[in-house]
mmCIF file of all heavy atoms in Angstrom:
data_model
loop_
_atom_site.group_PDB
_atom_site.id
_atom_site.type_symbol
_atom_site.label_atom_id
_atom_site.label_comp_id
_atom_site.label_asym_id
_atom_site.label_seq_id
_atom_site.Cartn_x
_atom_site.Cartn_y
_atom_site.Cartn_z
ATOM 1 N N ASN A 1 0.330 9.195 -4.794
ATOM 2 C CA ASN A 1 0.423 8.431 -6.033
ATOM 3 C C ASN A 1 -0.610 7.316 -6.063
ATOM 4 O O ASN A 1 -0.287 6.132 -6.129
ATOM 5 C CB ASN A 1 1.836 7.821 -6.156
ATOM 6 C CG ASN A 1 2.860 8.889 -6.447
ATOM 7 O OD1 ASN A 1 2.989 9.350 -7.569
ATOM 8 N ND2 ASN A 1 3.573 9.301 -5.407
ATOM 9 N N PRO A 2 -1.888 7.707 -6.077
ATOM 10 C CA PRO A 2 -2.949 6.686 -6.095
ATOM 11 C C PRO A 2 -3.090 6.000 -7.447
ATOM 12 O O PRO A 2 -2.314 6.267 -8.350
ATOM 13 C CB PRO A 2 -4.198 7.485 -5.766
ATOM 14 C CG PRO A 2 -3.922 8.842 -6.335
ATOM 15 C CD PRO A 2 -2.454 9.038 -6.119
ATOM 16 N N LEU A 3 -4.108 5.155 -7.529
ATOM 17 C CA LEU A 3 -4.472 4.383 -8.672
ATOM 18 C C LEU A 3 -3.621 4.597 -9.942
ATOM 19 O O LEU A 3 -3.670 5.623 -10.576
ATOM 20 C CB LEU A 3 -5.951 4.653 -9.028
ATOM 21 C CG LEU A 3 -6.567 3.784 -10.083
ATOM 22 C CD1 LEU A 3 -6.597 2.329 -9.630
ATOM 23 C CD2 LEU A 3 -7.959 4.250 -10.395
ATOM 24 N N ASN A 4 -2.840 3.589 -10.248
ATOM 25 C CA ASN A 4 -2.027 3.619 -11.465
ATOM 26 C C ASN A 4 -2.139 2.233 -12.071
ATOM 27 O O ASN A 4 -1.424 1.326 -11.704
ATOM 28 C CB ASN A 4 -0.583 3.960 -11.157
ATOM 29 C CG ASN A 4 0.289 3.994 -12.390
ATOM 30 O OD1 ASN A 4 -0.166 3.759 -13.507
ATOM 31 N ND2 ASN A 4 1.547 4.325 -12.232
ATOM 32 N N LYS A 5 -3.058 2.066 -13.034
ATOM 33 C CA LYS A 5 -3.264 0.768 -13.655
ATOM 34 C C LYS A 5 -2.364 0.593 -14.890
ATOM 35 O O LYS A 5 -2.405 -0.468 -15.508
ATOM 36 C CB LYS A 5 -4.720 0.628 -14.092
ATOM 37 C CG LYS A 5 -5.664 0.463 -12.941
ATOM 38 C CD LYS A 5 -7.059 0.214 -13.433
ATOM 39 C CE LYS A 5 -8.022 0.015 -12.297
ATOM 40 N NZ LYS A 5 -9.382 -0.198 -12.749
ATOM 41 N N SER A 6 -1.550 1.568 -15.191
ATOM 42 C CA SER A 6 -0.669 1.419 -16.362
ATOM 43 C C SER A 6 0.503 0.517 -15.992
ATOM 44 O O SER A 6 0.696 0.150 -14.825
ATOM 45 C CB SER A 6 -0.126 2.787 -16.775
ATOM 46 O OG SER A 6 0.854 3.237 -15.880
ATOM 47 N N LYS A 7 1.235 0.103 -16.968
ATOM 48 C CA LYS A 7 2.387 -0.741 -16.719
ATOM 49 C C LYS A 7 3.625 0.077 -16.352
ATOM 50 O O LYS A 7 4.714 -0.474 -16.159
ATOM 51 C CB LYS A 7 2.645 -1.605 -17.969
ATOM 52 C CG LYS A 7 1.459 -2.448 -18.342
ATOM 53 C CD LYS A 7 1.752 -3.903 -18.231
ATOM 54 C CE LYS A 7 0.589 -4.705 -18.727
ATOM 55 N NZ LYS A 7 -0.024 -5.524 -17.776
ATOM 56 N N ASP A 8 3.468 1.404 -16.296
ATOM 57 C CA ASP A 8 4.604 2.244 -15.908
ATOM 58 C C ASP A 8 4.931 2.054 -14.448
ATOM 59 O O ASP A 8 4.066 1.856 -13.610
ATOM 60 C CB ASP A 8 4.267 3.707 -16.155
ATOM 61 C CG ASP A 8 4.020 4.028 -17.616
ATOM 62 O OD1 ASP A 8 4.576 3.339 -18.473
ATOM 63 O OD2 ASP A 8 3.251 4.977 -17.901
ATOM 64 N N LYS A 9 6.208 2.134 -14.143
ATOM 65 C CA LYS A 9 6.662 2.039 -12.776
ATOM 66 C C LYS A 9 6.134 3.261 -12.007
ATOM 67 O O LYS A 9 6.124 4.359 -12.546
ATOM 68 C CB LYS A 9 8.180 2.001 -12.771
ATOM 69 C CG LYS A 9 8.772 1.396 -11.542
ATOM 70 C CD LYS A 9 10.269 1.219 -11.760
ATOM 71 C CE LYS A 9 10.801 0.266 -10.750
ATOM 72 N NZ LYS A 9 12.239 0.064 -10.923
ATOM 73 N N ASN A 10 5.706 3.056 -10.812
ATOM 74 C CA ASN A 10 5.257 4.184 -10.018
ATOM 75 C C ASN A 10 5.854 4.140 -8.626
ATOM 76 O O ASN A 10 6.463 3.169 -8.220
ATOM 77 C CB ASN A 10 3.733 4.291 -9.993
ATOM 78 C CG ASN A 10 3.077 3.146 -9.231
ATOM 79 O OD1 ASN A 10 3.708 2.460 -8.453
ATOM 80 N ND2 ASN A 10 1.797 2.960 -9.444
ATOM 81 N N ALA A 11 5.655 5.223 -7.894
ATOM 82 C CA ALA A 11 6.261 5.349 -6.577
ATOM 83 C C ALA A 11 5.758 4.269 -5.620
ATOM 84 O O ALA A 11 6.536 3.771 -4.814
ATOM 85 C CB ALA A 11 5.942 6.742 -6.005
ATOM 86 N N ARG A 12 4.501 3.899 -5.715
ATOM 87 C CA ARG A 12 3.964 2.843 -4.833
ATOM 88 C C ARG A 12 4.670 1.512 -5.094
ATOM 89 O O ARG A 12 5.012 0.825 -4.130
ATOM 90 C CB ARG A 12 2.474 2.669 -5.037
ATOM 91 C CG ARG A 12 1.644 3.770 -4.414
ATOM 92 C CD ARG A 12 0.160 3.449 -4.573
ATOM 93 N NE ARG A 12 -0.637 4.359 -3.805
ATOM 94 C CZ ARG A 12 -1.937 4.256 -3.644
ATOM 95 N NH1 ARG A 12 -2.593 3.251 -4.228
ATOM 96 N NH2 ARG A 12 -2.599 5.112 -2.924
ATOM 97 N N LEU A 13 4.887 1.183 -6.309
ATOM 98 C CA LEU A 13 5.538 -0.086 -6.633
ATOM 99 C C LEU A 13 6.958 -0.119 -6.073
ATOM 100 O O LEU A 13 7.390 -1.120 -5.479
ATOM 101 C CB LEU A 13 5.595 -0.299 -8.154
ATOM 102 C CG LEU A 13 6.280 -1.551 -8.644
ATOM 103 C CD1 LEU A 13 5.520 -2.804 -8.214
ATOM 104 C CD2 LEU A 13 6.443 -1.516 -10.158
ATOM 105 N N GLU A 14 7.665 0.969 -6.216
ATOM 106 C CA GLU A 14 9.059 1.042 -5.779
ATOM 107 C C GLU A 14 9.248 0.898 -4.273
ATOM 108 O O GLU A 14 10.266 0.443 -3.817
ATOM 109 C CB GLU A 14 9.698 2.339 -6.249
ATOM 110 C CG GLU A 14 9.778 2.443 -7.766
ATOM 111 C CD GLU A 14 10.237 3.774 -8.250
ATOM 112 O OE1 GLU A 14 10.288 4.762 -7.452
ATOM 113 O OE2 GLU A 14 10.563 3.872 -9.464
ATOM 114 N N MET A 15 8.221 1.240 -3.488
ATOM 115 C CA MET A 15 8.350 1.120 -2.038
ATOM 116 C C MET A 15 7.504 -0.011 -1.441
ATOM 117 O O MET A 15 7.465 -0.177 -0.236
ATOM 118 C CB MET A 15 8.082 2.452 -1.353
ATOM 119 C CG MET A 15 6.722 3.031 -1.568
ATOM 120 S SD MET A 15 6.599 4.607 -0.718
ATOM 121 C CE MET A 15 5.749 5.557 -1.980
ATOM 122 N N SER A 16 6.855 -0.789 -2.291
ATOM 123 C CA SER A 16 5.921 -1.786 -1.793
ATOM 124 C C SER A 16 6.624 -2.934 -1.056
ATOM 125 O O SER A 16 6.079 -3.455 -0.080
ATOM 126 C CB SER A 16 5.065 -2.324 -2.939
ATOM 127 O OG SER A 16 5.848 -2.927 -3.936
ATOM 128 N N GLU A 17 7.789 -3.321 -1.467
ATOM 129 C CA GLU A 17 8.521 -4.385 -0.760
ATOM 130 C C GLU A 17 8.863 -3.962 0.656
ATOM 131 O O GLU A 17 8.682 -4.691 1.614
ATOM 132 C CB GLU A 17 9.768 -4.797 -1.535
ATOM 133 C CG GLU A 17 10.508 -5.937 -0.907
ATOM 134 C CD GLU A 17 11.699 -6.426 -1.764
ATOM 135 O OE1 GLU A 17 12.020 -5.798 -2.779
ATOM 136 O OE2 GLU A 17 12.281 -7.429 -1.375
ATOM 137 N N ASN A 18 9.360 -2.735 0.780
ATOM 138 C CA ASN A 18 9.704 -2.204 2.095
ATOM 139 C C ASN A 18 8.462 -2.098 2.985
ATOM 140 O O ASN A 18 8.481 -2.438 4.169
ATOM 141 C CB ASN A 18 10.391 -0.848 1.953
ATOM 142 C CG ASN A 18 10.781 -0.250 3.286
ATOM 143 O OD1 ASN A 18 10.017 0.471 3.882
ATOM 144 N ND2 ASN A 18 11.972 -0.583 3.727
ATOM 145 N N LEU A 19 7.363 -1.653 2.404
ATOM 146 C CA LEU A 19 6.099 -1.550 3.134
ATOM 147 C C LEU A 19 5.650 -2.911 3.616
ATOM 148 O O LEU A 19 5.291 -3.080 4.791
ATOM 149 C CB LEU A 19 5.018 -0.948 2.192
ATOM 150 C CG LEU A 19 3.590 -0.962 2.698
ATOM 151 C CD1 LEU A 19 3.439 -0.100 3.935
ATOM 152 C CD2 LEU A 19 2.674 -0.470 1.602
ATOM 153 N N LEU A 20 5.686 -3.894 2.761
ATOM 154 C CA LEU A 20 5.262 -5.258 3.096
ATOM 155 C C LEU A 20 6.093 -5.830 4.249
ATOM 156 O O LEU A 20 5.568 -6.397 5.186
ATOM 157 C CB LEU A 20 5.360 -6.138 1.852
ATOM 158 C CG LEU A 20 4.786 -7.540 1.966
ATOM 159 C CD1 LEU A 20 3.280 -7.489 1.953
ATOM 160 C CD2 LEU A 20 5.278 -8.391 0.839
ATOM 161 N N LYS A 21 7.390 -5.659 4.157
ATOM 162 C CA LYS A 21 8.301 -6.268 5.140
ATOM 163 C C LYS A 21 8.386 -5.509 6.458
ATOM 164 O O LYS A 21 8.583 -6.132 7.500
ATOM 165 C CB LYS A 21 9.712 -6.363 4.547
ATOM 166 C CG LYS A 21 9.840 -7.384 3.442
ATOM 167 C CD LYS A 21 11.293 -7.393 2.939
ATOM 168 C CE LYS A 21 11.483 -8.461 1.862
ATOM 169 N NZ LYS A 21 12.873 -8.473 1.374
ATOM 170 N N ASN A 22 8.269 -4.177 6.419
ATOM 171 C CA ASN A 22 8.616 -3.403 7.590
ATOM 172 C C ASN A 22 7.495 -2.595 8.233
ATOM 173 O O ASN A 22 7.667 -2.045 9.314
ATOM 174 C CB ASN A 22 9.754 -2.434 7.229
ATOM 175 C CG ASN A 22 10.979 -3.150 6.777
ATOM 176 O OD1 ASN A 22 11.432 -4.109 7.407
ATOM 177 N ND2 ASN A 22 11.524 -2.751 5.653
ATOM 178 N N HIS A 23 6.366 -2.431 7.570
ATOM 179 C CA HIS A 23 5.326 -1.523 8.083
ATOM 180 C C HIS A 23 3.962 -2.187 8.324
ATOM 181 O O HIS A 23 3.185 -1.683 9.117
ATOM 182 C CB HIS A 23 5.188 -0.326 7.171
ATOM 183 C CG HIS A 23 6.418 0.490 7.077
ATOM 184 N ND1 HIS A 23 6.757 1.451 7.977
ATOM 185 C CD2 HIS A 23 7.441 0.425 6.192
ATOM 186 C CE1 HIS A 23 7.915 1.977 7.649
ATOM 187 N NE2 HIS A 23 8.365 1.384 6.568
ATOM 188 N N LEU A 24 3.662 -3.236 7.622
ATOM 189 C CA LEU A 24 2.373 -3.921 7.806
ATOM 190 C C LEU A 24 2.579 -5.210 8.562
ATOM 191 O O LEU A 24 3.382 -6.068 8.160
ATOM 192 C CB LEU A 24 1.746 -4.217 6.439
ATOM 193 C CG LEU A 24 1.277 -3.015 5.650
ATOM 194 C CD1 LEU A 24 0.850 -3.455 4.246
ATOM 195 C CD2 LEU A 24 0.151 -2.316 6.375
ATOM 196 N N GLN A 25 1.893 -5.334 9.670
ATOM 197 C CA GLN A 25 2.029 -6.502 10.531
ATOM 198 C C GLN A 25 0.727 -7.313 10.562
ATOM 199 O O GLN A 25 -0.352 -6.717 10.673
ATOM 200 C CB GLN A 25 2.417 -6.083 11.938
ATOM 201 C CG GLN A 25 3.658 -5.229 12.031
ATOM 202 C CD GLN A 25 4.881 -5.911 11.471
ATOM 203 O OE1 GLN A 25 5.078 -7.097 11.664
ATOM 204 N NE2 GLN A 25 5.684 -5.161 10.729
ATOM 205 N N ILE A 26 0.848 -8.619 10.498
ATOM 206 C CA ILE A 26 -0.316 -9.479 10.644
ATOM 207 C C ILE A 26 -0.978 -9.123 11.991
ATOM 208 O O ILE A 26 -0.285 -8.945 12.996
ATOM 209 C CB ILE A 26 0.084 -10.971 10.601
ATOM 210 C CG1 ILE A 26 0.707 -11.301 9.236
ATOM 211 C CG2 ILE A 26 -1.090 -11.868 10.936
ATOM 212 C CD1 ILE A 26 -0.221 -11.076 8.037
ATOM 213 N N GLY A 27 -2.298 -9.008 12.018
ATOM 214 C CA GLY A 27 -3.033 -8.646 13.203
ATOM 215 C C GLY A 27 -3.433 -7.190 13.293
ATOM 216 O O GLY A 27 -4.256 -6.810 14.098
ATOM 217 N N MET A 28 -2.851 -6.344 12.386
ATOM 218 C CA MET A 28 -3.279 -4.943 12.345
ATOM 219 C C MET A 28 -4.753 -4.919 11.950
ATOM 220 O O MET A 28 -5.239 -5.797 11.272
ATOM 221 C CB MET A 28 -2.448 -4.163 11.324
ATOM 222 C CG MET A 28 -1.030 -3.929 11.709
ATOM 223 S SD MET A 28 -0.087 -3.049 10.390
ATOM 224 C CE MET A 28 -0.669 -1.379 10.603
ATOM 225 N N THR A 29 -5.454 -3.873 12.385
ATOM 226 C CA THR A 29 -6.829 -3.712 12.008
ATOM 227 C C THR A 29 -6.919 -3.044 10.645
ATOM 228 O O THR A 29 -5.971 -2.385 10.180
ATOM 229 C CB THR A 29 -7.597 -2.842 13.017
ATOM 230 O OG1 THR A 29 -7.063 -1.511 12.981
ATOM 231 C CG2 THR A 29 -7.539 -3.443 14.403
ATOM 232 N N ARG A 30 -8.047 -3.228 9.975
ATOM 233 C CA ARG A 30 -8.271 -2.555 8.678
ATOM 234 C C ARG A 30 -8.152 -1.032 8.868
ATOM 235 O O ARG A 30 -7.588 -0.342 8.033
ATOM 236 C CB ARG A 30 -9.652 -2.924 8.136
ATOM 237 C CG ARG A 30 -9.975 -2.203 6.868
ATOM 238 C CD ARG A 30 -11.258 -2.684 6.236
ATOM 239 N NE ARG A 30 -10.912 -3.637 5.206
ATOM 240 C CZ ARG A 30 -11.496 -4.802 5.015
ATOM 241 N NH1 ARG A 30 -12.447 -5.194 5.788
ATOM 242 N NH2 ARG A 30 -11.116 -5.609 4.047
ATOM 243 N N GLN A 31 -8.644 -0.534 9.982
ATOM 244 C CA GLN A 31 -8.569 0.908 10.266
ATOM 245 C C GLN A 31 -7.112 1.345 10.323
ATOM 246 O O GLN A 31 -6.747 2.414 9.790
ATOM 247 C CB GLN A 31 -9.292 1.211 11.565
ATOM 248 C CG GLN A 31 -9.324 2.682 11.912
ATOM 249 C CD GLN A 31 -10.082 2.963 13.205
ATOM 250 O OE1 GLN A 31 -10.488 2.060 13.934
ATOM 251 N NE2 GLN A 31 -10.312 4.232 13.476
ATOM 252 N N GLN A 32 -6.239 0.574 10.954
ATOM 253 C CA GLN A 32 -4.831 0.908 11.035
ATOM 254 C C GLN A 32 -4.163 0.917 9.656
ATOM 255 O O GLN A 32 -3.377 1.815 9.364
ATOM 256 C CB GLN A 32 -4.101 -0.065 11.968
ATOM 257 C CG GLN A 32 -4.452 0.098 13.407
ATOM 258 C CD GLN A 32 -3.845 -1.037 14.260
ATOM 259 O OE1 GLN A 32 -3.925 -2.207 13.922
ATOM 260 N NE2 GLN A 32 -3.238 -0.651 15.389
ATOM 261 N N THR A 33 -4.485 -0.086 8.846
ATOM 262 C CA THR A 33 -3.862 -0.140 7.514
ATOM 263 C C THR A 33 -4.340 1.006 6.651
ATOM 264 O O THR A 33 -3.556 1.581 5.886
ATOM 265 C CB THR A 33 -4.074 -1.490 6.819
ATOM 266 O OG1 THR A 33 -5.479 -1.690 6.585
ATOM 267 C CG2 THR A 33 -3.506 -2.643 7.630
ATOM 268 N N ARG A 34 -5.617 1.349 6.747
ATOM 269 C CA ARG A 34 -6.138 2.460 5.963
ATOM 270 C C ARG A 34 -5.619 3.786 6.437
ATOM 271 O O ARG A 34 -5.492 4.732 5.651
ATOM 272 C CB ARG A 34 -7.652 2.419 5.919
ATOM 273 C CG ARG A 34 -8.166 1.282 5.072
ATOM 274 C CD ARG A 34 -9.650 1.310 4.888
ATOM 275 N NE ARG A 34 -10.097 0.205 4.040
ATOM 276 C CZ ARG A 34 -11.353 0.004 3.738
ATOM 277 N NH1 ARG A 34 -12.288 0.813 4.214
ATOM 278 N NH2 ARG A 34 -11.704 -1.025 2.974
ATOM 279 N N LYS A 35 -5.344 3.911 7.706
ATOM 280 C CA LYS A 35 -4.731 5.153 8.227
ATOM 281 C C LYS A 35 -3.363 5.318 7.582
ATOM 282 O O LYS A 35 -2.940 6.428 7.255
ATOM 283 C CB LYS A 35 -4.660 5.129 9.740
ATOM 284 C CG LYS A 35 -4.130 6.387 10.341
ATOM 285 C CD LYS A 35 -4.130 6.379 11.856
ATOM 286 C CE LYS A 35 -3.590 7.676 12.394
ATOM 287 N NZ LYS A 35 -3.525 7.673 13.859
ATOM 288 N N LEU A 36 -2.643 4.226 7.437
ATOM 289 C CA LEU A 36 -1.300 4.234 6.861
ATOM 290 C C LEU A 36 -1.340 4.415 5.339
ATOM 291 O O LEU A 36 -0.563 5.214 4.814
ATOM 292 C CB LEU A 36 -0.611 2.912 7.206
ATOM 293 C CG LEU A 36 0.840 2.749 6.757
ATOM 294 C CD1 LEU A 36 1.744 3.757 7.456
ATOM 295 C CD2 LEU A 36 1.307 1.312 7.013
ATOM 296 N N LEU A 37 -2.254 3.725 4.662
ATOM 297 C CA LEU A 37 -2.222 3.665 3.189
ATOM 298 C C LEU A 37 -3.320 4.466 2.499
ATOM 299 O O LEU A 37 -3.307 4.598 1.272
ATOM 300 C CB LEU A 37 -2.349 2.199 2.742
ATOM 301 C CG LEU A 37 -1.307 1.235 3.289
ATOM 302 C CD1 LEU A 37 -1.606 -0.155 2.830
ATOM 303 C CD2 LEU A 37 0.061 1.684 2.828
ATOM 304 N N GLY A 38 -4.297 4.940 3.235
ATOM 305 C CA GLY A 38 -5.444 5.590 2.623
ATOM 306 C C GLY A 38 -6.462 4.552 2.156
ATOM 307 O O GLY A 38 -6.287 3.351 2.366
ATOM 308 N N GLU A 39 -7.542 5.036 1.601
ATOM 309 C CA GLU A 39 -8.580 4.138 1.101
ATOM 310 C C GLU A 39 -8.051 3.270 -0.038
ATOM 311 O O GLU A 39 -7.297 3.750 -0.887
ATOM 312 C CB GLU A 39 -9.803 4.947 0.640
ATOM 313 C CG GLU A 39 -10.562 5.637 1.742
ATOM 314 C CD GLU A 39 -11.154 4.651 2.746
ATOM 315 O OE1 GLU A 39 -11.802 3.670 2.320
ATOM 316 O OE2 GLU A 39 -10.982 4.884 3.955
ATOM 317 N N PRO A 40 -8.452 2.020 -0.083
ATOM 318 C CA PRO A 40 -7.972 1.158 -1.178
ATOM 319 C C PRO A 40 -8.604 1.547 -2.510
ATOM 320 O O PRO A 40 -9.626 2.229 -2.576
ATOM 321 C CB PRO A 40 -8.446 -0.237 -0.737
ATOM 322 C CG PRO A 40 -9.594 0.018 0.144
ATOM 323 C CD PRO A 40 -9.334 1.329 0.835
ATOM 324 N N ASP A 41 -7.961 1.106 -3.590
ATOM 325 C CA ASP A 41 -8.496 1.340 -4.915
ATOM 326 C C ASP A 41 -9.708 0.487 -5.192
ATOM 327 O O ASP A 41 -10.592 0.858 -5.966
ATOM 328 C CB ASP A 41 -7.424 1.081 -5.961
ATOM 329 C CG ASP A 41 -6.222 1.993 -5.807
ATOM 330 O OD1 ASP A 41 -6.423 3.211 -5.602
ATOM 331 O OD2 ASP A 41 -5.085 1.498 -5.851
ATOM 332 N N PHE A 42 -9.751 -0.658 -4.540
ATOM 333 C CA PHE A 42 -10.851 -1.611 -4.738
ATOM 334 C C PHE A 42 -10.978 -2.480 -3.504
ATOM 335 O O PHE A 42 -9.976 -2.843 -2.907
ATOM 336 C CB PHE A 42 -10.579 -2.499 -5.980
ATOM 337 C CG PHE A 42 -11.632 -3.531 -6.239
ATOM 338 C CD1 PHE A 42 -12.858 -3.196 -6.769
ATOM 339 C CD2 PHE A 42 -11.388 -4.859 -5.923
ATOM 340 C CE1 PHE A 42 -13.827 -4.162 -6.985
ATOM 341 C CE2 PHE A 42 -12.350 -5.838 -6.129
ATOM 342 C CZ PHE A 42 -13.564 -5.475 -6.687
#
């Protein structure tokens, strides 16, 4: 469910709080975050 600039709710939005709290840790490398999330939109 990549790039969704519309105001419609999407799958990424619905799981973003859980991702922020439970899967991304301060100190992770950019490579680790991109392995988890894929390439950023920007």
Side-chain angles (χ1 to χ4, degrees):
N1 289 281
L3 188 64
N4 180 358
K5 289 184 179 179
S6 74
K7 302 244 185 242
D8 297 332
K9 202 171 196 180
N10 68 17
R12 284 185 171 187
L13 178 66
E14 295 173 347
M15 61 181 137
S16 60
E17 183 174 7
N18 181 269
L19 171 63
L20 187 75
K21 290 180 177 179
N22 300 312
H23 298 274
L24 291 172
Q25 304 301 319
I26 298 299
M28 289 177 76
T29 65
R30 176 173 262 134
Q31 182 178 9
Q32 289 172 313
T33 63
R34 288 186 179 179
K35 183 176 181 182
L36 182 65
L37 304 176
E39 291 297 313
D41 299 315
F42 177 76

